[in-house]
Amino acid sequence: IMDGKNIADFVDPEIEAKLEALEAEEDRLIELAELEGVAEPMDDDDAATHELAERIRHKKRLIVNKHRDDKGGNRPIVPRSKVIRPERTVEGLKRHLASVGVRTGDDDLQNLRKRGRSTSP
């Protein structure tokens, strides 16, 4: 009994013999691999895993390259200061307010006047 459980059900009386047989087979395969000059024998599962991994890497490269191509867009990069629309300036705002009937004199819109003192660079 170990940790409150009966482990006798899980003990295999021939485990030592099986372990020795596995170790002998492993040693034999290592010797064959050394004679053939191969570091490790590769079975079908390993080959399939390597092929699948290569296909996944290739697919990821395609996805990344497509994203990089799509990301650039087909539009020029122009600073916003060069493309200011007339209605987005103070004068445009004053024209719009005047057109809807709001007084736009300098005394009426005091918050849009220039500063009274100089601005520092």
Side-chain angles (χ1 to χ4, degrees), residues 80-90 92 95:
R80 185 173 174 173
S81 63
K82 303 292 181 191
V83 201
I84 293 180
R85 297 175 288 185
E87 65 271 4
R88 299 288 292 198
T89 61
V90 173
R95 279 194 302 272

Side-chain angles (χ1 to χ4, degrees), residues 69-117:
D69 289 343
D70 292 345
K71 182 179 172 186
N74 190 11
R75 56 184 151 76
I77 299 173
V78 180
R80 185 173 174 173
S81 63
K82 303 292 181 191
V83 201
I84 293 180
R85 297 175 288 185
E87 65 271 4
R88 299 288 292 198
T89 61
V90 173
E91 284 72 29
L93 175 66
K94 285 182 179 181
R95 279 194 302 272
H96 173 70
L97 290 175
S99 68
V100 293
V102 177
R103 294 184 311 193
T104 58
D106 288 336
D107 294 334
D108 299 323
L109 301 174
Q110 293 179 5
N111 59 338
L112 296 179
R113 280 189 294 169
K114 292 240 183 220
R115 291 179 55 157
R117 58 184 179 179

Side-chain angles (χ1 to χ4, degrees), residues 31-58:
E31 288 175 11
L32 282 174
E34 288 174 355
L35 291 176
E36 293 176 3
V38 178
E40 224 177 275
M42 186 180 274
D43 60 350
D44 291 338
D45 291 339
D46 287 342
T49 303
H50 285 291
E51 180 187 346
L52 181 61
E54 186 58 37
R55 288 182 21 216
I56 290 171
R57 285 188 203 104
H58 179 69

